[in-house]
mmCIF file of all heavy atoms in Angstrom:
data_model
loop_
_atom_site.group_PDB
_atom_site.id
_atom_site.type_symbol
_atom_site.label_atom_id
_atom_site.label_comp_id
_atom_site.label_asym_id
_atom_site.label_seq_id
_atom_site.Cartn_x
_atom_site.Cartn_y
_atom_site.Cartn_z
ATOM 1 N N GLU A 28 -11.685 -23.501 -4.183
ATOM 2 C CA GLU A 28 -10.306 -23.683 -4.251
ATOM 3 C C GLU A 28 -9.601 -22.334 -4.609
ATOM 4 O O GLU A 28 -8.484 -21.939 -4.076
ATOM 5 C CB GLU A 28 -9.917 -24.700 -5.334
ATOM 6 C CG GLU A 28 -8.414 -24.905 -5.508
ATOM 7 C CD GLU A 28 -7.589 -25.318 -4.280
ATOM 8 O OE1 GLU A 28 -8.320 -25.813 -3.339
ATOM 9 O OE2 GLU A 28 -6.446 -25.010 -4.240
ATOM 10 N N VAL A 29 -10.171 -21.545 -5.527
ATOM 11 C CA VAL A 29 -9.661 -20.115 -5.885
ATOM 12 C C VAL A 29 -9.695 -19.334 -4.612
ATOM 13 O O VAL A 29 -8.733 -18.608 -4.389
ATOM 14 C CB VAL A 29 -10.410 -19.641 -7.098
ATOM 15 C CG1 VAL A 29 -9.966 -18.125 -7.285
ATOM 16 C CG2 VAL A 29 -10.151 -20.454 -8.200
ATOM 17 N N LYS A 30 -10.834 -19.263 -3.924
ATOM 18 C CA LYS A 30 -10.945 -18.559 -2.665
ATOM 19 C C LYS A 30 -9.829 -18.979 -1.666
ATOM 20 O O LYS A 30 -9.183 -18.161 -1.064
ATOM 21 C CB LYS A 30 -12.282 -18.645 -2.102
ATOM 22 C CG LYS A 30 -12.562 -17.844 -0.879
ATOM 23 C CD LYS A 30 -14.051 -17.993 -0.376
ATOM 24 C CE LYS A 30 -14.316 -17.372 0.854
ATOM 25 N NZ LYS A 30 -15.634 -17.460 1.262
ATOM 26 N N ARG A 31 -9.660 -20.251 -1.535
ATOM 27 C CA ARG A 31 -8.569 -20.738 -0.675
ATOM 28 C C ARG A 31 -7.269 -20.215 -0.923
ATOM 29 O O ARG A 31 -6.462 -19.820 -0.155
ATOM 30 C CB ARG A 31 -8.718 -22.309 -0.564
ATOM 31 C CG ARG A 31 -7.803 -22.844 0.629
ATOM 32 C CD ARG A 31 -7.503 -24.295 0.398
ATOM 33 N NE ARG A 31 -6.773 -24.565 -0.848
ATOM 34 C CZ ARG A 31 -5.414 -24.302 -1.075
ATOM 35 N NH1 ARG A 31 -4.789 -23.689 -0.173
ATOM 36 N NH2 ARG A 31 -4.914 -24.615 -2.212
ATOM 37 N N ARG A 32 -6.934 -20.282 -2.269
ATOM 38 C CA ARG A 32 -5.581 -19.798 -2.729
ATOM 39 C C ARG A 32 -5.390 -18.263 -2.466
ATOM 40 O O ARG A 32 -4.314 -17.842 -2.072
ATOM 41 C CB ARG A 32 -5.458 -20.051 -4.159
ATOM 42 C CG ARG A 32 -5.149 -21.563 -4.547
ATOM 43 C CD ARG A 32 -4.578 -21.810 -5.900
ATOM 44 N NE ARG A 32 -5.408 -21.206 -6.959
ATOM 45 C CZ ARG A 32 -6.285 -21.882 -7.692
ATOM 46 N NH1 ARG A 32 -6.486 -23.175 -7.493
ATOM 47 N NH2 ARG A 32 -6.992 -21.273 -8.640
ATOM 48 N N ALA A 33 -6.496 -17.498 -2.645
ATOM 49 C CA ALA A 33 -6.453 -16.037 -2.343
ATOM 50 C C ALA A 33 -6.103 -15.891 -0.885
ATOM 51 O O ALA A 33 -5.268 -15.099 -0.504
ATOM 52 C CB ALA A 33 -7.715 -15.386 -2.768
ATOM 53 N N GLN A 34 -6.819 -16.637 -0.004
ATOM 54 C CA GLN A 34 -6.600 -16.454 1.408
ATOM 55 C C GLN A 34 -5.223 -16.947 1.774
ATOM 56 O O GLN A 34 -4.497 -16.193 2.660
ATOM 57 C CB GLN A 34 -7.620 -17.347 2.141
ATOM 58 C CG GLN A 34 -9.087 -16.795 2.091
ATOM 59 C CD GLN A 34 -10.145 -17.807 2.512
ATOM 60 O OE1 GLN A 34 -9.777 -18.953 2.609
ATOM 61 N NE2 GLN A 34 -11.299 -17.353 2.918
ATOM 62 N N HIS A 35 -4.716 -18.013 1.143
ATOM 63 C CA HIS A 35 -3.323 -18.460 1.391
ATOM 64 C C HIS A 35 -2.284 -17.373 1.041
ATOM 65 O O HIS A 35 -1.378 -17.079 1.700
ATOM 66 C CB HIS A 35 -3.037 -19.785 0.621
ATOM 67 C CG HIS A 35 -1.694 -20.202 0.733
ATOM 68 N ND1 HIS A 35 -1.145 -20.884 1.941
ATOM 69 C CD2 HIS A 35 -0.617 -20.111 -0.114
ATOM 70 C CE1 HIS A 35 0.145 -21.072 1.748
ATOM 71 N NE2 HIS A 35 0.433 -20.689 0.551
ATOM 72 N N SER A 36 -2.572 -16.651 -0.106
ATOM 73 C CA SER A 36 -1.701 -15.600 -0.547
ATOM 74 C C SER A 36 -1.606 -14.521 0.393
ATOM 75 O O SER A 36 -0.533 -13.939 0.696
ATOM 76 C CB SER A 36 -2.148 -15.153 -1.949
ATOM 77 O OG SER A 36 -1.855 -16.119 -3.032
ATOM 78 N N VAL A 37 -2.742 -14.140 0.934
ATOM 79 C CA VAL A 37 -2.830 -13.021 1.935
ATOM 80 C C VAL A 37 -2.026 -13.442 3.132
ATOM 81 O O VAL A 37 -1.214 -12.701 3.687
ATOM 82 C CB VAL A 37 -4.192 -12.639 2.273
ATOM 83 C CG1 VAL A 37 -4.321 -11.641 3.405
ATOM 84 C CG2 VAL A 37 -4.892 -12.075 0.957
ATOM 85 N N LEU A 38 -2.278 -14.644 3.629
ATOM 86 C CA LEU A 38 -1.611 -15.073 4.885
ATOM 87 C C LEU A 38 -0.150 -15.247 4.582
ATOM 88 O O LEU A 38 0.721 -14.803 5.512
ATOM 89 C CB LEU A 38 -2.199 -16.366 5.362
ATOM 90 C CG LEU A 38 -3.588 -16.223 5.952
ATOM 91 C CD1 LEU A 38 -4.103 -17.693 6.192
ATOM 92 C CD2 LEU A 38 -3.650 -15.412 7.232
ATOM 93 N N ARG A 39 0.316 -15.738 3.495
ATOM 94 C CA ARG A 39 1.687 -15.932 3.207
ATOM 95 C C ARG A 39 2.348 -14.429 3.056
ATOM 96 O O ARG A 39 3.523 -14.305 3.540
ATOM 97 C CB ARG A 39 1.911 -16.710 1.921
ATOM 98 C CG ARG A 39 3.399 -16.913 1.610
ATOM 99 C CD ARG A 39 3.609 -18.060 0.682
ATOM 100 N NE ARG A 39 5.052 -18.140 0.472
ATOM 101 C CZ ARG A 39 5.663 -18.272 -0.735
ATOM 102 N NH1 ARG A 39 4.851 -18.342 -1.769
ATOM 103 N NH2 ARG A 39 6.886 -18.404 -0.831
ATOM 104 N N SER A 40 1.707 -13.517 2.448
ATOM 105 C CA SER A 40 2.226 -12.126 2.324
ATOM 106 C C SER A 40 2.418 -11.550 3.722
ATOM 107 O O SER A 40 3.365 -10.886 3.993
ATOM 108 C CB SER A 40 1.207 -11.279 1.449
ATOM 109 O OG SER A 40 1.254 -11.797 0.126
ATOM 110 N N TRP A 41 1.442 -11.808 4.562
ATOM 111 C CA TRP A 41 1.580 -11.316 5.953
ATOM 112 C C TRP A 41 2.750 -11.805 6.718
ATOM 113 O O TRP A 41 3.516 -11.143 7.300
ATOM 114 C CB TRP A 41 0.206 -11.702 6.698
ATOM 115 C CG TRP A 41 0.288 -11.338 8.159
ATOM 116 C CD1 TRP A 41 0.414 -12.223 9.116
ATOM 117 C CD2 TRP A 41 0.206 -9.993 8.774
ATOM 118 N NE1 TRP A 41 0.372 -11.581 10.348
ATOM 119 C CE2 TRP A 41 0.202 -10.274 10.105
ATOM 120 C CE3 TRP A 41 0.029 -8.768 8.330
ATOM 121 C CZ2 TRP A 41 0.216 -9.234 11.039
ATOM 122 C CZ3 TRP A 41 -0.020 -7.653 9.192
ATOM 123 C CH2 TRP A 41 0.020 -7.889 10.610
ATOM 124 N N GLY A 42 2.840 -13.136 6.542
ATOM 125 C CA GLY A 42 4.096 -13.799 7.149
ATOM 126 C C GLY A 42 5.406 -13.414 6.628
ATOM 127 O O GLY A 42 6.422 -13.517 7.393
ATOM 128 N N LEU A 155 -11.328 -9.778 1.507
ATOM 129 C CA LEU A 155 -11.750 -11.173 1.516
ATOM 130 C C LEU A 155 -12.838 -11.282 2.637
ATOM 131 O O LEU A 155 -13.806 -12.065 2.469
ATOM 132 C CB LEU A 155 -10.538 -12.129 1.793
ATOM 133 C CG LEU A 155 -9.649 -12.292 0.651
ATOM 134 C CD1 LEU A 155 -8.394 -13.008 1.061
ATOM 135 C CD2 LEU A 155 -10.336 -12.998 -0.513
ATOM 136 N N CYS A 176 -1.303 -9.094 -3.656
ATOM 137 C CA CYS A 176 -0.870 -10.023 -2.566
ATOM 138 C C CYS A 176 -0.373 -11.390 -3.102
ATOM 139 O O CYS A 176 0.597 -11.836 -2.546
ATOM 140 C CB CYS A 176 -2.029 -10.306 -1.595
ATOM 141 S SG CYS A 176 -1.873 -9.547 0.038
ATOM 142 N N THR A 177 -1.038 -11.798 -4.098
ATOM 143 C CA THR A 177 -0.600 -13.048 -4.739
ATOM 144 C C THR A 177 0.869 -12.877 -5.292
ATOM 145 O O THR A 177 1.718 -13.723 -5.121
ATOM 146 C CB THR A 177 -1.638 -13.440 -5.914
ATOM 147 O OG1 THR A 177 -2.834 -13.635 -5.317
ATOM 148 C CG2 THR A 177 -1.184 -14.734 -6.620
ATOM 149 N N ALA A 180 3.269 -12.761 -2.413
ATOM 150 C CA ALA A 180 3.421 -14.084 -1.790
ATOM 151 C C ALA A 180 4.403 -14.952 -2.700
ATOM 152 O O ALA A 180 5.140 -15.757 -2.210
ATOM 153 C CB ALA A 180 2.138 -14.744 -1.597
#
Side-chain angles (χ1 to χ4, degrees):
E28 180 59 23
V29 172
K30 181 178 177 181
R31 188 198 63 72
R32 284 195 309 261
Q34 292 167 338
H35 175 76
S36 292
V37 170
L38 290 172
R39 183 161 180 228
S40 297
W41 172 256
L155 289 172
C176 250
T177 301

